[in-house]
Amino acid sequence: MSRFTRRTAIGLGVAGIATGTLKSFPEWMARADDYPGTRIRYDVASPEGKEQLKIYARGVANMKATAEGNPMSWMFQWYTHWVNPNTNKEQEIDRIYGAASSADKMLALAMWDTCRGHITWAGQRDWFTPWHRMYVLFFEQIIRAAAQEPEFTLPYWDYTTPGKRAIPEELRMEDDPVFGSLFVGKRNPGVNDGVQLDQTPLYPQLEQSIGQDPLGLDCLDITHFRDQAPASGFNSNLDMAPHGMVHVLVGNGQNMGSVPWAASDPVFWLHHANVDRIWASWNAAGGGRENPSDDTWNDMMFTFSDDRGQQVLAKTSDFVATEPLGYEYQELLTPPGVAPVVVAQADDTTESVPIAPPASQRLELGQGEASVAVELPAGTEETIAAGSQRTYLVLADLRIDAQPGVLYSVFLQPSAETTEGRKAVGVLNFFNAPPKDLELEGATPAFYSIDVTDTVAGFDTTQAPIVTIAPTGTPAADAAPVVGEVYFATR
């Protein structure tokens, strides 16, 4: 395992830099772009989006032909997200740069393995949306330079709209002289044949079992950005779905379906342009008022490289809105119309994670479904009847030995005495789950919660409900996923 943890990377992001080339983001913006007006990021299915894909393919081809230690190279940008798990950050830096010091080596130390949002540490995922916005923005700038097209904008893949859920044709043309650079073979069966994601083998079973669309926009109806234990917030719900769902549906364990490999696939960037669009849509619909306002979140800084290989120190508060960054989306999304659950604002702190009550259970998943009895909090029946609190099923400390490669349906039934009344309540993926042997350095694991108020309202609350998690399809035999904490909590 790499000795470079994400916390090591945080320190290097500021202290381990050759300061002569470091620029603050406002300094960089002042010189980086004299483009008149605001650029538009287009739907990849639109005529404008298809024109941008041609430029994208040329830029990707040039990046892949660039020496891997160059910040303009494909591998360098991929490793910014996470380094190939067959090696580690330290070994790759030694292999590529050797013992001698150089500006590019220091930049790699500062940038690689710095992705935020994946649930290794709960406090880190507050930066899922801003970190990926930064990542996509600087990558877009590098494509402009690599393709020599200063007006390029990264198109977005609008998979939340039924009928647009197939990977764009241009990314499936292996031998095409224009688009061949965008093809990757390690995608799930059917994906490179143009099958819609909701028609792949995993998806129909899932949608049928839970009665909802895992690629839908339920996250837009959440009124709080941060997790407010036990309710997970917009940011982490977006991270789980549709973000994580798309990763698992598109790629296998050496592609989009696994965090360390994900950014090696050109579709990653079209996917994350749409993730960014979802955050922009939430902000435009009023959610922007609930973005964190504390200094800890706003002042967090990350290091990126620009199209000249210069180091830029990006501050979270500069990336909350797209307009000052010089771009907007062809079309924003609107919430699906479900009445949002209003959760009173918690203290605006960096970490808001639950402490598992004594009734917490552990659930180890195998090849089939797995179940555990979990007690409801005392007084649940009264709070439901009074309408004074919501009840949440909390799933925390997800761990794996390897990516399962499937999605999971989550069911509740009233008790162990009968399966009658069993209801599907949600969907789960392990895309963000860290390996079991990864040290958490004392940090509290992240959690994901499902509002089950209406479901348990029909239960006999003196009985312990049964929580069942069932895979859609056959998980990888060596995955051995675990939900370390399963419990109910009210707010």
Side-chain angles (χ1 to χ4, degrees), residues 59-77 97 104 107 138-139 141-148 305-310:
V60 170
N62 289 339
M63 289 178 70
K64 288 182 175 181
T66 300
E68 57 191 8
N70 188 317
M72 295 279 288
S73 74
W74 186 256
M75 180 176 284
F76 196 104
Q77 293 301 311
Y97 299 104
D104 288 350
L107 186 55
F138 285 104
F139 175 83
Q141 183 79 6
I142 288 170
I143 289 288
R144 288 182 191 133
Q148 298 184 7
S305 65
D306 69 2
D307 57 308
R308 302 178 186 180
Q310 292 182 316

PDB file of all heavy atoms in Angstrom, residues 59-77 97 104 107 138-139 141-148 305-310:
ATOM      1  N   GLY A  59      -7.689  16.534 -28.731  1.00  0.00           N
ATOM      2  CA  GLY A  59      -6.943  16.892 -27.536  1.00  0.00           C
ATOM      3  C   GLY A  59      -6.526  15.676 -26.729  1.00  0.00           C
ATOM      4  O   GLY A  59      -5.389  15.603 -26.248  1.00  0.00           O
ATOM      5  N   VAL A  60      -7.430  14.712 -26.577  1.00  0.00           N
ATOM      6  CA  VAL A  60      -7.111  13.493 -25.833  1.00  0.00           C
ATOM      7  C   VAL A  60      -5.989  12.727 -26.522  1.00  0.00           C
ATOM      8  O   VAL A  60      -5.058  12.235 -25.865  1.00  0.00           O
ATOM      9  CB  VAL A  60      -8.364  12.614 -25.672  1.00  0.00           C
ATOM     10  CG1 VAL A  60      -8.001  11.230 -25.120  1.00  0.00           C
ATOM     11  CG2 VAL A  60      -9.377  13.296 -24.749  1.00  0.00           C
ATOM     12  N   ALA A  61      -6.052  12.615 -27.836  1.00  0.00           N
ATOM     13  CA  ALA A  61      -4.999  11.914 -28.582  1.00  0.00           C
ATOM     14  C   ALA A  61      -3.642  12.569 -28.345  1.00  0.00           C
ATOM     15  O   ALA A  61      -2.631  11.880 -28.136  1.00  0.00           O
ATOM     16  CB  ALA A  61      -5.333  11.904 -30.072  1.00  0.00           C
ATOM     17  N   ASN A  62      -3.606  13.884 -28.360  1.00  0.00           N
ATOM     18  CA  ASN A  62      -2.341  14.591 -28.135  1.00  0.00           C
ATOM     19  C   ASN A  62      -1.866  14.430 -26.696  1.00  0.00           C
ATOM     20  O   ASN A  62      -0.659  14.314 -26.440  1.00  0.00           O
ATOM     21  CB  ASN A  62      -2.495  16.070 -28.488  1.00  0.00           C
ATOM     22  CG  ASN A  62      -2.631  16.294 -29.982  1.00  0.00           C
ATOM     23  OD1 ASN A  62      -2.240  15.442 -30.776  1.00  0.00           O
ATOM     24  ND2 ASN A  62      -3.196  17.427 -30.375  1.00  0.00           N
ATOM     25  N   MET A  63      -2.804  14.422 -25.737  1.00  0.00           N
ATOM     26  CA  MET A  63      -2.416  14.208 -24.347  1.00  0.00           C
ATOM     27  C   MET A  63      -1.845  12.806 -24.158  1.00  0.00           C
ATOM     28  O   MET A  63      -0.863  12.615 -23.432  1.00  0.00           O
ATOM     29  CB  MET A  63      -3.609  14.414 -23.421  1.00  0.00           C
ATOM     30  CG  MET A  63      -4.055  15.856 -23.283  1.00  0.00           C
ATOM     31  SD  MET A  63      -5.515  16.029 -22.218  1.00  0.00           S
ATOM     32  CE  MET A  63      -4.815  15.629 -20.601  1.00  0.00           C
ATOM     33  N   LYS A  64      -2.452  11.814 -24.798  1.00  0.00           N
ATOM     34  CA  LYS A  64      -1.970  10.442 -24.664  1.00  0.00           C
ATOM     35  C   LYS A  64      -0.603  10.253 -25.318  1.00  0.00           C
ATOM     36  O   LYS A  64       0.146   9.337 -24.949  1.00  0.00           O
ATOM     37  CB  LYS A  64      -2.988   9.471 -25.268  1.00  0.00           C
ATOM     38  CG  LYS A  64      -4.258   9.331 -24.428  1.00  0.00           C
ATOM     39  CD  LYS A  64      -5.232   8.320 -25.012  1.00  0.00           C
ATOM     40  CE  LYS A  64      -6.431   8.098 -24.088  1.00  0.00           C
ATOM     41  NZ  LYS A  64      -7.389   7.114 -24.618  1.00  0.00           N
ATOM     42  N   ALA A  65      -0.273  11.117 -26.288  1.00  0.00           N
ATOM     43  CA  ALA A  65       1.030  11.046 -26.953  1.00  0.00           C
ATOM     44  C   ALA A  65       2.100  11.854 -26.226  1.00  0.00           C
ATOM     45  O   ALA A  65       3.259  11.856 -26.639  1.00  0.00           O
ATOM     46  CB  ALA A  65       0.896  11.550 -28.391  1.00  0.00           C
ATOM     47  N   THR A  66       1.737  12.526 -25.159  1.00  0.00           N
ATOM     48  CA  THR A  66       2.663  13.355 -24.392  1.00  0.00           C
ATOM     49  C   THR A  66       3.325  12.523 -23.303  1.00  0.00           C
ATOM     50  O   THR A  66       2.687  11.657 -22.695  1.00  0.00           O
ATOM     51  CB  THR A  66       1.904  14.547 -23.757  1.00  0.00           C
ATOM     52  OG1 THR A  66       1.315  15.322 -24.803  1.00  0.00           O
ATOM     53  CG2 THR A  66       2.827  15.426 -22.935  1.00  0.00           C
ATOM     54  N   ALA A  67       4.592  12.770 -23.036  1.00  0.00           N
ATOM     55  CA  ALA A  67       5.329  12.020 -22.021  1.00  0.00           C
ATOM     56  C   ALA A  67       4.580  12.048 -20.695  1.00  0.00           C
ATOM     57  O   ALA A  67       4.111  13.101 -20.253  1.00  0.00           O
ATOM     58  CB  ALA A  67       6.731  12.615 -21.855  1.00  0.00           C
ATOM     59  N   GLU A  68       4.479  10.894 -20.040  1.00  0.00           N
ATOM     60  CA  GLU A  68       3.583  10.746 -18.899  1.00  0.00           C
ATOM     61  C   GLU A  68       3.951  11.630 -17.710  1.00  0.00           C
ATOM     62  O   GLU A  68       3.099  11.933 -16.872  1.00  0.00           O
ATOM     63  CB  GLU A  68       3.519   9.281 -18.479  1.00  0.00           C
ATOM     64  CG  GLU A  68       4.860   8.665 -18.137  1.00  0.00           C
ATOM     65  CD  GLU A  68       4.792   7.153 -17.990  1.00  0.00           C
ATOM     66  OE1 GLU A  68       3.727   6.579 -18.314  1.00  0.00           O
ATOM     67  OE2 GLU A  68       5.790   6.552 -17.562  1.00  0.00           O
ATOM     68  N   GLY A  69       5.185  12.072 -17.602  1.00  0.00           N
ATOM     69  CA  GLY A  69       5.568  12.939 -16.501  1.00  0.00           C
ATOM     70  C   GLY A  69       5.254  14.406 -16.730  1.00  0.00           C
ATOM     71  O   GLY A  69       5.415  15.235 -15.829  1.00  0.00           O
ATOM     72  N   ASN A  70       4.780  14.721 -17.920  1.00  0.00           N
ATOM     73  CA  ASN A  70       4.425  16.094 -18.266  1.00  0.00           C
ATOM     74  C   ASN A  70       3.022  16.398 -17.727  1.00  0.00           C
ATOM     75  O   ASN A  70       2.107  15.603 -17.931  1.00  0.00           O
ATOM     76  CB  ASN A  70       4.449  16.245 -19.793  1.00  0.00           C
ATOM     77  CG  ASN A  70       4.273  17.670 -20.264  1.00  0.00           C
ATOM     78  OD1 ASN A  70       3.439  18.411 -19.743  1.00  0.00           O
ATOM     79  ND2 ASN A  70       5.030  18.065 -21.268  1.00  0.00           N
ATOM     80  N   PRO A  71       2.821  17.532 -17.061  1.00  0.00           N
ATOM     81  CA  PRO A  71       1.479  17.840 -16.556  1.00  0.00           C
ATOM     82  C   PRO A  71       0.398  17.895 -17.620  1.00  0.00           C
ATOM     83  O   PRO A  71      -0.785  17.799 -17.304  1.00  0.00           O
ATOM     84  CB  PRO A  71       1.663  19.216 -15.899  1.00  0.00           C
ATOM     85  CG  PRO A  71       3.101  19.269 -15.533  1.00  0.00           C
ATOM     86  CD  PRO A  71       3.817  18.521 -16.623  1.00  0.00           C
ATOM     87  N   MET A  72       0.795  18.033 -18.883  1.00  0.00           N
ATOM     88  CA  MET A  72      -0.172  18.063 -19.982  1.00  0.00           C
ATOM     89  C   MET A  72      -0.547  16.656 -20.454  1.00  0.00           C
ATOM     90  O   MET A  72      -1.384  16.511 -21.347  1.00  0.00           O
ATOM     91  CB  MET A  72       0.398  18.849 -21.162  1.00  0.00           C
ATOM     92  CG  MET A  72       0.637  20.316 -20.891  1.00  0.00           C
ATOM     93  SD  MET A  72      -0.877  21.265 -21.029  1.00  0.00           S
ATOM     94  CE  MET A  72      -1.107  21.230 -22.814  1.00  0.00           C
ATOM     95  N   SER A  73       0.049  15.626 -19.854  1.00  0.00           N
ATOM     96  CA  SER A  73      -0.195  14.268 -20.345  1.00  0.00           C
ATOM     97  C   SER A  73      -1.476  13.680 -19.766  1.00  0.00           C
ATOM     98  O   SER A  73      -1.981  14.108 -18.723  1.00  0.00           O
ATOM     99  CB  SER A  73       0.982  13.355 -19.980  1.00  0.00           C
ATOM    100  OG  SER A  73       0.955  13.038 -18.595  1.00  0.00           O
ATOM    101  N   TRP A  74      -1.975  12.664 -20.445  1.00  0.00           N
ATOM    102  CA  TRP A  74      -3.186  11.979 -20.023  1.00  0.00           C
ATOM    103  C   TRP A  74      -2.978  11.300 -18.669  1.00  0.00           C
ATOM    104  O   TRP A  74      -3.807  11.407 -17.768  1.00  0.00           O
ATOM    105  CB  TRP A  74      -3.601  10.951 -21.072  1.00  0.00           C
ATOM    106  CG  TRP A  74      -4.915  10.311 -20.780  1.00  0.00           C
ATOM    107  CD1 TRP A  74      -5.137   9.053 -20.287  1.00  0.00           C
ATOM    108  CD2 TRP A  74      -6.212  10.897 -20.930  1.00  0.00           C
ATOM    109  NE1 TRP A  74      -6.474   8.816 -20.132  1.00  0.00           N
ATOM    110  CE2 TRP A  74      -7.167   9.939 -20.526  1.00  0.00           C
ATOM    111  CE3 TRP A  74      -6.661  12.132 -21.384  1.00  0.00           C
ATOM    112  CZ2 TRP A  74      -8.540  10.177 -20.553  1.00  0.00           C
ATOM    113  CZ3 TRP A  74      -8.024  12.379 -21.416  1.00  0.00           C
ATOM    114  CH2 TRP A  74      -8.944  11.419 -20.999  1.00  0.00           C
ATOM    115  N   MET A  75      -1.848  10.617 -18.514  1.00  0.00           N
ATOM    116  CA  MET A  75      -1.610   9.907 -17.267  1.00  0.00           C
ATOM    117  C   MET A  75      -1.498  10.873 -16.095  1.00  0.00           C
ATOM    118  O   MET A  75      -2.019  10.595 -15.004  1.00  0.00           O
ATOM    119  CB  MET A  75      -0.352   9.047 -17.351  1.00  0.00           C
ATOM    120  CG  MET A  75      -0.070   8.280 -16.062  1.00  0.00           C
ATOM    121  SD  MET A  75       1.348   7.164 -16.186  1.00  0.00           S
ATOM    122  CE  MET A  75       0.612   5.833 -17.145  1.00  0.00           C
ATOM    123  N   PHE A  76      -0.843  11.995 -16.278  1.00  0.00           N
ATOM    124  CA  PHE A  76      -0.685  12.961 -15.198  1.00  0.00           C
ATOM    125  C   PHE A  76      -2.047  13.433 -14.705  1.00  0.00           C
ATOM    126  O   PHE A  76      -2.299  13.514 -13.495  1.00  0.00           O
ATOM    127  CB  PHE A  76       0.147  14.150 -15.675  1.00  0.00           C
ATOM    128  CG  PHE A  76       0.696  15.006 -14.566  1.00  0.00           C
ATOM    129  CD1 PHE A  76       2.038  14.923 -14.200  1.00  0.00           C
ATOM    130  CD2 PHE A  76      -0.113  15.902 -13.879  1.00  0.00           C
ATOM    131  CE1 PHE A  76       2.554  15.714 -13.172  1.00  0.00           C
ATOM    132  CE2 PHE A  76       0.388  16.687 -12.861  1.00  0.00           C
ATOM    133  CZ  PHE A  76       1.730  16.594 -12.501  1.00  0.00           C
ATOM    134  N   GLN A  77      -2.939  13.726 -15.640  1.00  0.00           N
ATOM    135  CA  GLN A  77      -4.268  14.197 -15.256  1.00  0.00           C
ATOM    136  C   GLN A  77      -5.105  13.075 -14.637  1.00  0.00           C
ATOM    137  O   GLN A  77      -5.842  13.300 -13.672  1.00  0.00           O
ATOM    138  CB  GLN A  77      -4.976  14.807 -16.468  1.00  0.00           C
ATOM    139  CG  GLN A  77      -4.331  16.095 -16.955  1.00  0.00           C
ATOM    140  CD  GLN A  77      -4.295  17.166 -15.882  1.00  0.00           C
ATOM    141  OE1 GLN A  77      -5.308  17.452 -15.235  1.00  0.00           O
ATOM    142  NE2 GLN A  77      -3.138  17.784 -15.684  1.00  0.00           N
ATOM    143  N   TYR A  97      10.132  10.029 -12.548  1.00  0.00           N
ATOM    144  CA  TYR A  97      10.995  11.199 -12.378  1.00  0.00           C
ATOM    145  C   TYR A  97      12.378  10.878 -11.829  1.00  0.00           C
ATOM    146  O   TYR A  97      13.280  11.724 -11.902  1.00  0.00           O
ATOM    147  CB  TYR A  97      10.315  12.217 -11.445  1.00  0.00           C
ATOM    148  CG  TYR A  97       9.007  12.729 -11.969  1.00  0.00           C
ATOM    149  CD1 TYR A  97       7.804  12.266 -11.434  1.00  0.00           C
ATOM    150  CD2 TYR A  97       8.944  13.667 -13.002  1.00  0.00           C
ATOM    151  CE1 TYR A  97       6.578  12.727 -11.912  1.00  0.00           C
ATOM    152  CE2 TYR A  97       7.729  14.131 -13.482  1.00  0.00           C
ATOM    153  CZ  TYR A  97       6.553  13.657 -12.927  1.00  0.00           C
ATOM    154  OH  TYR A  97       5.345  14.117 -13.403  1.00  0.00           O
ATOM    155  N   ASP A 104       8.120  19.478 -12.355  1.00  0.00           N
ATOM    156  CA  ASP A 104       7.028  18.551 -12.652  1.00  0.00           C
ATOM    157  C   ASP A 104       6.889  17.496 -11.559  1.00  0.00           C
ATOM    158  O   ASP A 104       5.764  17.083 -11.218  1.00  0.00           O
ATOM    159  CB  ASP A 104       7.256  17.878 -14.006  1.00  0.00           C
ATOM    160  CG  ASP A 104       7.034  18.818 -15.181  1.00  0.00           C
ATOM    161  OD1 ASP A 104       6.518  19.932 -14.951  1.00  0.00           O
ATOM    162  OD2 ASP A 104       7.375  18.453 -16.317  1.00  0.00           O
ATOM    163  N   LEU A 107       5.131  19.039  -8.710  1.00  0.00           N
ATOM    164  CA  LEU A 107       3.725  19.209  -9.042  1.00  0.00           C
ATOM    165  C   LEU A 107       2.971  17.891  -8.894  1.00  0.00           C
ATOM    166  O   LEU A 107       1.851  17.847  -8.379  1.00  0.00           O
ATOM    167  CB  LEU A 107       3.590  19.757 -10.463  1.00  0.00           C
ATOM    168  CG  LEU A 107       2.185  20.125 -10.944  1.00  0.00           C
ATOM    169  CD1 LEU A 107       1.527  21.109  -9.991  1.00  0.00           C
ATOM    170  CD2 LEU A 107       2.243  20.700 -12.350  1.00  0.00           C
ATOM    171  N   PHE A 138      -9.737  22.855 -14.994  1.00  0.00           N
ATOM    172  CA  PHE A 138      -8.338  22.883 -15.429  1.00  0.00           C
ATOM    173  C   PHE A 138      -8.083  21.871 -16.539  1.00  0.00           C
ATOM    174  O   PHE A 138      -7.295  22.122 -17.462  1.00  0.00           O
ATOM    175  CB  PHE A 138      -7.409  22.650 -14.231  1.00  0.00           C
ATOM    176  CG  PHE A 138      -7.289  23.832 -13.333  1.00  0.00           C
ATOM    177  CD1 PHE A 138      -7.948  23.879 -12.124  1.00  0.00           C
ATOM    178  CD2 PHE A 138      -6.532  24.935 -13.711  1.00  0.00           C
ATOM    179  CE1 PHE A 138      -7.858  24.983 -11.287  1.00  0.00           C
ATOM    180  CE2 PHE A 138      -6.426  26.055 -12.888  1.00  0.00           C
ATOM    181  CZ  PHE A 138      -7.088  26.081 -11.675  1.00  0.00           C
ATOM    182  N   PHE A 139      -8.755  20.721 -16.484  1.00  0.00           N
ATOM    183  CA  PHE A 139      -8.637  19.749 -17.570  1.00  0.00           C
ATOM    184  C   PHE A 139      -9.162  20.342 -18.873  1.00  0.00           C
ATOM    185  O   PHE A 139      -8.547  20.166 -19.937  1.00  0.00           O
ATOM    186  CB  PHE A 139      -9.417  18.486 -17.203  1.00  0.00           C
ATOM    187  CG  PHE A 139      -9.463  17.459 -18.285  1.00  0.00           C
ATOM    188  CD1 PHE A 139      -8.420  16.567 -18.466  1.00  0.00           C
ATOM    189  CD2 PHE A 139     -10.560  17.365 -19.140  1.00  0.00           C
ATOM    190  CE1 PHE A 139      -8.460  15.607 -19.483  1.00  0.00           C
ATOM    191  CE2 PHE A 139     -10.615  16.415 -20.145  1.00  0.00           C
ATOM    192  CZ  PHE A 139      -9.565  15.526 -20.311  1.00  0.00           C
ATOM    193  N   GLN A 141      -9.164  23.392 -19.777  1.00  0.00           N
ATOM    194  CA  GLN A 141      -8.161  24.341 -20.256  1.00  0.00           C
ATOM    195  C   GLN A 141      -7.011  23.610 -20.938  1.00  0.00           C
ATOM    196  O   GLN A 141      -6.490  24.057 -21.971  1.00  0.00           O
ATOM    197  CB  GLN A 141      -7.646  25.169 -19.070  1.00  0.00           C
ATOM    198  CG  GLN A 141      -6.640  26.251 -19.417  1.00  0.00           C
ATOM    199  CD  GLN A 141      -7.284  27.497 -19.986  1.00  0.00           C
ATOM    200  OE1 GLN A 141      -8.507  27.601 -20.014  1.00  0.00           O
ATOM    201  NE2 GLN A 141      -6.483  28.439 -20.441  1.00  0.00           N
ATOM    202  N   ILE A 142      -6.617  22.473 -20.388  1.00  0.00           N
ATOM    203  CA  ILE A 142      -5.530  21.694 -20.981  1.00  0.00           C
ATOM    204  C   ILE A 142      -5.945  21.126 -22.335  1.00  0.00           C
ATOM    205  O   ILE A 142      -5.147  21.091 -23.287  1.00  0.00           O
ATOM    206  CB  ILE A 142      -5.092  20.588 -20.001  1.00  0.00           C
ATOM    207  CG1 ILE A 142      -4.345  21.232 -18.822  1.00  0.00           C
ATOM    208  CG2 ILE A 142      -4.223  19.542 -20.683  1.00  0.00           C
ATOM    209  CD1 ILE A 142      -4.068  20.292 -17.675  1.00  0.00           C
ATOM    210  N   ILE A 143      -7.199  20.685 -22.460  1.00  0.00           N
ATOM    211  CA  ILE A 143      -7.677  20.211 -23.758  1.00  0.00           C
ATOM    212  C   ILE A 143      -7.621  21.337 -24.791  1.00  0.00           C
ATOM    213  O   ILE A 143      -7.243  21.120 -25.955  1.00  0.00           O
ATOM    214  CB  ILE A 143      -9.112  19.653 -23.649  1.00  0.00           C
ATOM    215  CG1 ILE A 143      -9.119  18.319 -22.880  1.00  0.00           C
ATOM    216  CG2 ILE A 143      -9.744  19.473 -25.028  1.00  0.00           C
ATOM    217  CD1 ILE A 143      -8.533  17.142 -23.644  1.00  0.00           C
ATOM    218  N   ARG A 144      -7.984  22.556 -24.399  1.00  0.00           N
ATOM    219  CA  ARG A 144      -7.899  23.686 -25.334  1.00  0.00           C
ATOM    220  C   ARG A 144      -6.491  23.822 -25.889  1.00  0.00           C
ATOM    221  O   ARG A 144      -6.295  24.054 -27.087  1.00  0.00           O
ATOM    222  CB  ARG A 144      -8.300  24.987 -24.628  1.00  0.00           C
ATOM    223  CG  ARG A 144      -9.770  25.108 -24.338  1.00  0.00           C
ATOM    224  CD  ARG A 144     -10.117  26.435 -23.677  1.00  0.00           C
ATOM    225  NE  ARG A 144     -11.489  26.387 -23.192  1.00  0.00           N
ATOM    226  CZ  ARG A 144     -11.904  26.761 -21.994  1.00  0.00           C
ATOM    227  NH1 ARG A 144     -11.024  27.263 -21.125  1.00  0.00           N
ATOM    228  NH2 ARG A 144     -13.170  26.657 -21.656  1.00  0.00           N
ATOM    229  N   ALA A 145      -5.509  23.709 -24.998  1.00  0.00           N
ATOM    230  CA  ALA A 145      -4.125  23.844 -25.437  1.00  0.00           C
ATOM    231  C   ALA A 145      -3.678  22.637 -26.256  1.00  0.00           C
ATOM    232  O   ALA A 145      -3.025  22.783 -27.294  1.00  0.00           O
ATOM    233  CB  ALA A 145      -3.221  24.028 -24.226  1.00  0.00           C
ATOM    234  N   ALA A 146      -4.043  21.432 -25.807  1.00  0.00           N
ATOM    235  CA  ALA A 146      -3.619  20.221 -26.501  1.00  0.00           C
ATOM    236  C   ALA A 146      -4.209  20.137 -27.901  1.00  0.00           C
ATOM    237  O   ALA A 146      -3.574  19.632 -28.836  1.00  0.00           O
ATOM    238  CB  ALA A 146      -4.015  18.993 -25.683  1.00  0.00           C
ATOM    239  N   ALA A 147      -5.442  20.610 -28.057  1.00  0.00           N
ATOM    240  CA  ALA A 147      -6.109  20.581 -29.366  1.00  0.00           C
ATOM    241  C   ALA A 147      -5.902  21.874 -30.147  1.00  0.00           C
ATOM    242  O   ALA A 147      -6.315  21.958 -31.301  1.00  0.00           O
ATOM    243  CB  ALA A 147      -7.599  20.341 -29.184  1.00  0.00           C
ATOM    244  N   GLN A 148      -5.306  22.873 -29.490  1.00  0.00           N
ATOM    245  CA  GLN A 148      -5.116  24.201 -30.087  1.00  0.00           C
ATOM    246  C   GLN A 148      -6.448  24.789 -30.547  1.00  0.00           C
ATOM    247  O   GLN A 148      -6.583  25.298 -31.657  1.00  0.00           O
ATOM    248  CB  GLN A 148      -4.101  24.131 -31.241  1.00  0.00           C
ATOM    249  CG  GLN A 148      -2.725  23.676 -30.793  1.00  0.00           C
ATOM    250  CD  GLN A 148      -1.693  23.708 -31.902  1.00  0.00           C
ATOM    251  OE1 GLN A 148      -1.948  24.194 -32.997  1.00  0.00           O
ATOM    252  NE2 GLN A 148      -0.510  23.181 -31.621  1.00  0.00           N
ATOM    253  N   SER A 305      -2.632  21.939 -12.177  1.00  0.00           N
ATOM    254  CA  SER A 305      -1.749  22.492 -13.204  1.00  0.00           C
ATOM    255  C   SER A 305      -2.595  23.114 -14.302  1.00  0.00           C
ATOM    256  O   SER A 305      -3.694  22.645 -14.593  1.00  0.00           O
ATOM    257  CB  SER A 305      -0.857  21.400 -13.801  1.00  0.00           C
ATOM    258  OG  SER A 305      -1.638  20.437 -14.496  1.00  0.00           O
ATOM    259  N   ASP A 306      -2.076  24.169 -14.900  1.00  0.00           N
ATOM    260  CA  ASP A 306      -2.777  24.791 -16.015  1.00  0.00           C
ATOM    261  C   ASP A 306      -2.206  24.300 -17.334  1.00  0.00           C
ATOM    262  O   ASP A 306      -1.404  23.352 -17.376  1.00  0.00           O
ATOM    263  CB  ASP A 306      -2.745  26.316 -15.891  1.00  0.00           C
ATOM    264  CG  ASP A 306      -1.349  26.902 -16.103  1.00  0.00           C
ATOM    265  OD1 ASP A 306      -0.394  26.144 -16.386  1.00  0.00           O
ATOM    266  OD2 ASP A 306      -1.214  28.136 -15.981  1.00  0.00           O
ATOM    267  N   ASP A 307      -2.596  24.938 -18.421  1.00  0.00           N
ATOM    268  CA  ASP A 307      -2.189  24.504 -19.752  1.00  0.00           C
ATOM    269  C   ASP A 307      -0.728  24.804 -20.059  1.00  0.00           C
ATOM    270  O   ASP A 307      -0.236  24.423 -21.116  1.00  0.00           O
ATOM    271  CB  ASP A 307      -3.081  25.172 -20.809  1.00  0.00           C
ATOM    272  CG  ASP A 307      -3.054  26.682 -20.714  1.00  0.00           C
ATOM    273  OD1 ASP A 307      -3.273  27.213 -19.607  1.00  0.00           O
ATOM    274  OD2 ASP A 307      -2.824  27.344 -21.736  1.00  0.00           O
ATOM    275  N   ARG A 308      -0.027  25.478 -19.145  1.00  0.00           N
ATOM    276  CA  ARG A 308       1.402  25.724 -19.295  1.00  0.00           C
ATOM    277  C   ARG A 308       2.230  24.920 -18.299  1.00  0.00           C
ATOM    278  O   ARG A 308       3.437  25.123 -18.185  1.00  0.00           O
ATOM    279  CB  ARG A 308       1.697  27.215 -19.112  1.00  0.00           C
ATOM    280  CG  ARG A 308       0.946  28.120 -20.072  1.00  0.00           C
ATOM    281  CD  ARG A 308       1.253  29.573 -19.796  1.00  0.00           C
ATOM    282  NE  ARG A 308       0.431  30.454 -20.625  1.00  0.00           N
ATOM    283  CZ  ARG A 308       0.495  31.780 -20.578  1.00  0.00           C
ATOM    284  NH1 ARG A 308       1.354  32.372 -19.761  1.00  0.00           N
ATOM    285  NH2 ARG A 308      -0.293  32.519 -21.347  1.00  0.00           N
ATOM    286  N   GLY A 309       1.574  24.031 -17.569  1.00  0.00           N
ATOM    287  CA  GLY A 309       2.276  23.266 -16.564  1.00  0.00           C
ATOM    288  C   GLY A 309       2.585  24.057 -15.314  1.00  0.00           C
ATOM    289  O   GLY A 309       3.375  23.620 -14.475  1.00  0.00           O
ATOM    290  N   GLN A 310       1.947  25.205 -15.151  1.00  0.00           N
ATOM    291  CA  GLN A 310       2.147  26.016 -13.962  1.00  0.00           C
ATOM    292  C   GLN A 310       1.220  25.545 -12.842  1.00  0.00           C
ATOM    293  O   GLN A 310       0.109  25.092 -13.086  1.00  0.00           O
ATOM    294  CB  GLN A 310       1.876  27.490 -14.253  1.00  0.00           C
ATOM    295  CG  GLN A 310       2.887  28.131 -15.191  1.00  0.00           C
ATOM    296  CD  GLN A 310       2.598  29.608 -15.403  1.00  0.00           C
ATOM    297  OE1 GLN A 310       1.452  29.988 -15.608  1.00  0.00           O
ATOM    298  NE2 GLN A 310       3.630  30.432 -15.345  1.00  0.00           N
TER     299      GLN A 310
END
